[in-house]
Amino acid sequence: MRIKLSLPGSVNQWCNNLAKSPVFAVTILVVISWLAYGWNLGNVGLIDETEPLFAEASRQMLITGDWITPIFNGETRFDKPSLIYWCQAIAYGMIGVNEWSVRLPSAIAAVGVIGLTFYTVQWYFAKKDELEQVSHPIRRNLTALIAAAMLALSPEMIVWGRTGVSDMMLTGCMASALLCFFLGYATTEETQPKSASSLFPNKWYLACYVLIAGAILSKGPVGIVLPVIIIAAFVIYVGKIREVFTQMRPFMGMLIIFGLSAPWYLLVTWRNGWDYLSSFFGYHNIERFTEVVNGHSAPWYFYFLVVLLGFAPYSVYLPVAMAKLRFWRRSHWLTQERSQQLGLFACIWFITIFGFFSIAVTKLPSYVLPLMPAVGILVALLWSDFFPENSQNMDSASSALKISAWINVIFSTVLAIAVFHITHLINNNSVAPGFPLLIQNARLPELGGFIWFLGALIIAALIINRLWHNIIHVNIVVFTAFLIIVLMPALFLMDQQRQQPLRDLSALVVEAKQPDEELLMVGFKKPSVVFYTQKPVNYIQLTKDAVEHIKNQTSELPQQSSLLVIAEPKVFVKMDLQPGSYDILDTRDTYQLIRVSLKKTNKESLQIS
C-alpha cells in the first residue's frame, strides 16, 4: 500500500523553473551560509579552553605590533603558525576587539570553501552536458546546491566554522587548493595551446599554490604534505604524471609556496631559535603523529564515528556513493575525460586524509575536517541522477540506495531517541551542571526529538512512494530546523551556564583591580579570563601551590598589598584562609572572586585543610 504524495502540476512546473535558474540556487546558498555561519556568530562568548588562546594572542599582536611571535599571557605560543592570528588581528582593527572578530576568519574560510564546492560541482555538470550534448540545468544547479548545502549544514563544519581557531583556516585553504587543482587539471586541455610556452601555469594551478601556502601558514607541514599526497596519488592513478608535472610548472609552484610561507617561519625561528623549532615541529607535529599528546588517544574506528556524526545525517549515503563510482576500476577512469574525473578525485581525497589521520597516534575530531568537502561532493554525485528535467525521466533507485535510505530512517530515529534522552546522557556534566535542567525547562529535548522523528517518518513515506529525489532535501530541511529550533537556543543556554559567570567576574576584575595587584586562578585554567580582563593571570593548578605562593608574597614585602583570586568555593575552604584576611567580591555559579589582604594574612596560619 502506498501513500499518495504529489504536488499540483502548476506548482511542480513553477519549482522546476526556479531550479533551472542558477541565481535561485546561489540565493538559497547565501541564505544557508548566513544561517550556518553568520547568524549570532559573535553573540556567544568565547569558549574555553582553546578559542581564547587564539583570541588573546591575536590581540597581543595588534597592541604590541609584533606580528612574528604569538604571545599569550606573557608567554610565547608556538602551537600554530601565524595566519589565524594575522586574520583575527586585522579583524580587530576593522570591527573592534570582540567575538565577531575572533570568529570571522573561520566563518569566511568556511563560506569560501562552500562556495568553491558549489562552483566546482556546477562546472563539472556543465562539462558533462557539453560532452553528452544535452542541457540539464536542473541537475546542474540542484546537485551543486545539494553538495554545498550538505557541506554548510553538517555538524563538523558548523562547529569549526563558528569557532575562532585555526582548524577551519586549514580546511578552507587545503580544500580550496585541492578544488583549484582539479579545476586546473580539468581545464588544462582547453588552455594548453595558449600556455605551452608560459612560465606560469594556468590560473587555477596558481590559486592552488597560493592556497597551499595559506595552509602551511595555518597549521604547518600538514598543509603541503596532504595536498601533495592526494594530488600525486590521483595523477599516478590516472596515468598522467608527466603531463600534469609539465602543466603545473612545479618549480615555479614551489617558489610561490615557499616565497609566501617561508619568510614567517624564518623570522620566527631567527627570533626564537631552538625553542620554536622543538616546540612547533617537534612537539606539535612529529610527536602528535607518533605519540599520544595531551591524552588525545582514540581507538582505530574513531574517525568512522567522526565522519558518521560530523556529516550527519547525510553520511549514511557515503558508502553507497563511493561504491557507485567504482573507483577501483582503473581502466574505466583512464578512458574518462579529465573534467569527468571529479568523483575519482574526491574518493582519493577522502581516503588519503581518512587514512593519514587514522594512522596518526594523536586523534582529534577536527583533524579530518579537510575531508568534509570531498564527502559532500561524493554524496551529491550519488543523488544527481534523481534531478532530471522532468519526473518521467526519474531513475529507479538501486538496492544499495534503498538500503541506505532505510538506514537513514533508522539513523534519524536513533537521533530522535538520543535527543529525547539527552539530559540523562549529559547529567554528570561538571563543567555546566545546570545545563541539563535549563534545556529541559526550555523543552529542547522534546522539540529536537520530535524534529528527527518527524524527519524519519517523512523519509519512510518518500521511500514507500519512491520519491527518491526528495529524500536528500528532507534531510537538509530537518537539520536546518534542528539548527534553528534546538541547537542555537541550546548554545545560548550553554554559554549562560558555562562562560557567562567567567565573563561577569572578568568584568568585575576590570573594575576592582588595583594597580600592580596580581590576579590568580586556582584549580583550573580558563584562558577567556585573560582575554576579557586584558590582564595577565597567574594560573596555579594545585591548591598547595597557591597557598605557598601567598606565603611567599606575604614574606617578601611585596609592592602590592593584596591579590585577587578566582577559584571554586571548595578550593578556598581547603586553603583555610583567616576570616579577616580576605573579602568575597562576588560569586557566580561555581566560581568565586575574592581579594586576599597580604598585610592581614599570617603566613604561619596558611595551610591546606
CSV table of all heavy atoms in Angstrom, one decimal, residues 236-258:
chain,number,residue,atom,x,y,z
A,236,ILE,N,49.0,9.7,-10.5
A,236,ILE,CA,49.5,8.3,-10.7
A,236,ILE,C,48.5,7.4,-11.1
A,236,ILE,O,48.6,6.6,-12.1
A,236,ILE,CB,50.3,7.8,-9.5
A,236,ILE,CG1,51.6,8.7,-9.3
A,236,ILE,CG2,50.6,6.4,-9.6
A,236,ILE,CD1,52.3,8.4,-7.9
A,237,TYR,N,47.3,7.4,-10.5
A,237,TYR,CA,46.2,6.5,-10.7
A,237,TYR,C,45.7,6.7,-12.1
A,237,TYR,O,45.3,5.7,-12.8
A,237,TYR,CB,45.1,6.7,-9.7
A,237,TYR,CG,44.1,5.6,-9.7
A,237,TYR,CD1,44.3,4.4,-9.0
A,237,TYR,CD2,42.9,5.8,-10.4
A,237,TYR,CE1,43.3,3.4,-9.0
A,237,TYR,CE2,41.9,4.8,-10.4
A,237,TYR,CZ,42.1,3.6,-9.7
A,237,TYR,OH,41.2,2.6,-9.7
A,238,VAL,N,45.6,7.9,-12.6
A,238,VAL,CA,45.0,8.2,-13.9
A,238,VAL,C,46.1,8.2,-15.0
A,238,VAL,O,45.9,8.4,-16.2
A,238,VAL,CB,44.3,9.5,-14.0
A,238,VAL,CG1,43.1,9.5,-13.1
A,238,VAL,CG2,45.2,10.7,-13.6
A,239,GLY,N,47.4,7.9,-14.6
A,239,GLY,CA,48.5,7.8,-15.6
A,239,GLY,C,48.9,9.0,-16.3
A,239,GLY,O,49.2,8.9,-17.5
A,240,LYS,N,48.8,10.1,-15.6
A,240,LYS,CA,49.2,11.4,-16.3
A,240,LYS,C,50.3,12.2,-15.5
A,240,LYS,O,50.3,13.4,-15.4
A,240,LYS,CB,47.9,12.3,-16.4
A,240,LYS,CG,46.8,11.7,-17.3
A,240,LYS,CD,45.7,12.6,-17.5
A,240,LYS,CE,44.5,12.0,-18.2
A,240,LYS,NZ,44.9,11.6,-19.6
A,241,ILE,N,51.2,11.4,-15.0
A,241,ILE,CA,52.3,12.0,-14.2
A,241,ILE,C,53.1,13.1,-15.0
A,241,ILE,O,53.2,14.2,-14.6
A,241,ILE,CB,53.2,11.0,-13.6
A,241,ILE,CG1,52.4,9.9,-12.8
A,241,ILE,CG2,54.3,11.6,-12.7
A,241,ILE,CD1,53.3,8.7,-12.4
A,242,ARG,N,53.6,12.6,-16.1
A,242,ARG,CA,54.4,13.5,-16.9
A,242,ARG,C,53.7,14.7,-17.4
A,242,ARG,O,54.1,15.9,-17.4
A,242,ARG,CB,55.1,12.8,-18.1
A,242,ARG,CG,56.0,13.6,-18.9
A,242,ARG,CD,56.7,12.8,-20.0
A,242,ARG,NE,57.5,11.7,-19.4
A,242,ARG,CZ,58.2,10.8,-20.1
A,242,ARG,NH1,58.1,10.8,-21.4
A,242,ARG,NH2,58.9,9.9,-19.4
A,243,GLU,N,52.4,14.5,-17.9
A,243,GLU,CA,51.6,15.6,-18.4
A,243,GLU,C,51.4,16.6,-17.4
A,243,GLU,O,51.6,17.9,-17.6
A,243,GLU,CB,50.3,15.1,-19.0
A,243,GLU,CG,50.4,14.2,-20.2
A,243,GLU,CD,49.1,13.6,-20.6
A,243,GLU,OE1,48.1,14.4,-20.6
A,243,GLU,OE2,49.0,12.4,-20.9
A,244,VAL,N,50.8,16.2,-16.2
A,244,VAL,CA,50.4,17.1,-15.2
A,244,VAL,C,51.7,17.8,-14.6
A,244,VAL,O,51.6,19.0,-14.3
A,244,VAL,CB,49.7,16.4,-14.1
A,244,VAL,CG1,49.4,17.3,-12.9
A,244,VAL,CG2,48.4,15.8,-14.7
A,245,PHE,N,52.8,17.0,-14.4
A,245,PHE,CA,54.0,17.6,-13.9
A,245,PHE,C,54.4,18.8,-14.8
A,245,PHE,O,54.8,19.9,-14.3
A,245,PHE,CB,55.1,16.6,-13.9
A,245,PHE,CG,56.4,17.0,-13.2
A,245,PHE,CD1,56.5,17.0,-11.8
A,245,PHE,CD2,57.4,17.5,-14.0
A,245,PHE,CE1,57.7,17.4,-11.2
A,245,PHE,CE2,58.6,17.9,-13.4
A,245,PHE,CZ,58.7,17.9,-12.0
A,246,THR,N,54.4,18.6,-16.1
A,246,THR,CA,54.8,19.7,-17.0
A,246,THR,C,53.8,20.9,-17.0
A,246,THR,O,54.2,22.0,-16.9
A,246,THR,CB,54.8,19.1,-18.5
A,246,THR,OG1,55.7,18.1,-18.5
A,246,THR,CG2,55.2,20.2,-19.4
A,247,GLN,N,52.5,20.6,-16.9
A,247,GLN,CA,51.5,21.6,-16.9
A,247,GLN,C,51.4,22.4,-15.7
A,247,GLN,O,51.1,23.6,-15.7
A,247,GLN,CB,50.1,21.0,-17.2
A,247,GLN,CG,50.0,20.4,-18.6
A,247,GLN,CD,48.9,19.3,-18.7
A,247,GLN,OE1,48.2,19.0,-17.7
A,247,GLN,NE2,48.8,18.7,-19.9
A,248,MET,N,51.8,21.8,-14.5
A,248,MET,CA,51.7,22.5,-13.2
A,248,MET,C,52.8,23.5,-13.0
A,248,MET,O,52.8,24.3,-12.1
A,248,MET,CB,51.5,21.5,-12.1
A,248,MET,CG,50.2,20.8,-12.0
A,248,MET,SD,50.1,19.8,-10.5
A,248,MET,CE,49.9,21.2,-9.2
A,249,ARG,N,53.9,23.3,-13.8
A,249,ARG,CA,55.1,24.1,-13.5
A,249,ARG,C,55.5,24.0,-12.0
A,249,ARG,O,55.5,25.0,-11.3
A,249,ARG,CB,54.9,25.6,-13.9
A,249,ARG,CG,54.3,25.9,-15.3
A,249,ARG,CD,55.3,25.5,-16.4
A,249,ARG,NE,54.8,26.1,-17.7
A,249,ARG,CZ,54.0,25.5,-18.5
A,249,ARG,NH1,53.5,24.3,-18.2
A,249,ARG,NH2,53.6,26.0,-19.6
A,250,PRO,N,55.8,22.8,-11.6
A,250,PRO,CA,56.0,22.6,-10.1
A,250,PRO,C,57.2,23.5,-9.5
A,250,PRO,O,57.1,23.8,-8.4
A,250,PRO,CB,56.3,21.1,-10.0
A,250,PRO,CG,56.8,20.7,-11.4
A,250,PRO,CD,56.0,21.6,-12.3
A,251,PHE,N,58.2,23.7,-10.3
A,251,PHE,CA,59.3,24.5,-9.7
A,251,PHE,C,58.9,25.9,-9.5
A,251,PHE,O,59.2,26.5,-8.4
A,251,PHE,CB,60.5,24.5,-10.7
A,251,PHE,CG,61.1,23.1,-10.8
A,251,PHE,CD1,61.0,22.4,-12.1
A,251,PHE,CD2,61.7,22.4,-9.8
A,251,PHE,CE1,61.5,21.1,-12.2
A,251,PHE,CE2,62.2,21.2,-9.9
A,251,PHE,CZ,62.1,20.5,-11.1
A,252,MET,N,58.1,26.5,-10.4
A,252,MET,CA,57.5,27.8,-10.1
A,252,MET,C,56.5,27.7,-9.0
A,252,MET,O,56.5,28.7,-8.2
A,252,MET,CB,56.8,28.3,-11.4
A,252,MET,CG,56.1,29.7,-11.2
A,252,MET,SD,57.2,31.0,-10.7
A,252,MET,CE,58.3,31.1,-12.1
A,253,GLY,N,55.8,26.6,-8.9
A,253,GLY,CA,54.8,26.5,-7.8
A,253,GLY,C,55.5,26.5,-6.5
A,253,GLY,O,55.1,27.1,-5.5
A,254,MET,N,56.7,25.7,-6.4
A,254,MET,CA,57.4,25.7,-5.1
A,254,MET,C,57.9,27.1,-4.7
A,254,MET,O,58.0,27.4,-3.6
A,254,MET,CB,58.6,24.7,-5.2
A,254,MET,CG,58.2,23.2,-5.3
A,254,MET,SD,57.2,22.7,-3.9
A,254,MET,CE,55.5,22.6,-4.5
A,255,LEU,N,58.4,27.8,-5.7
A,255,LEU,CA,58.8,29.2,-5.4
A,255,LEU,C,57.7,30.0,-4.9
A,255,LEU,O,57.9,30.8,-3.9
A,255,LEU,CB,59.4,29.9,-6.7
A,255,LEU,CG,60.7,29.4,-7.2
A,255,LEU,CD1,61.1,30.1,-8.6
A,255,LEU,CD2,61.8,29.7,-6.2
A,256,ILE,N,56.5,29.9,-5.4
A,256,ILE,CA,55.3,30.6,-4.9
A,256,ILE,C,55.0,30.2,-3.5
A,256,ILE,O,54.8,31.0,-2.6
A,256,ILE,CB,54.1,30.4,-5.9
A,256,ILE,CG1,54.4,31.1,-7.3
A,256,ILE,CG2,52.9,31.0,-5.3
A,256,ILE,CD1,53.4,30.7,-8.3
A,257,ILE,N,54.9,28.9,-3.3
A,257,ILE,CA,54.5,28.4,-2.0
A,257,ILE,C,55.5,28.8,-0.9
A,257,ILE,O,55.1,29.4,0.1
A,257,ILE,CB,54.4,26.8,-2.0
A,257,ILE,CG1,53.2,26.4,-2.9
A,257,ILE,CG2,54.3,26.3,-0.6
A,257,ILE,CD1,53.2,24.9,-3.2
A,258,PHE,N,56.8,28.6,-1.1
A,258,PHE,CA,57.7,28.9,-0.1
A,258,PHE,C,58.1,30.4,0.0
A,258,PHE,O,58.4,30.9,1.0
A,258,PHE,CB,59.0,28.0,-0.3
A,258,PHE,CG,58.8,26.6,0.0
A,258,PHE,CD1,58.8,25.7,-1.1
A,258,PHE,CD2,58.5,26.1,1.3
A,258,PHE,CE1,58.5,24.3,-0.8
A,258,PHE,CE2,58.2,24.8,1.5
A,258,PHE,CZ,58.3,23.9,0.5
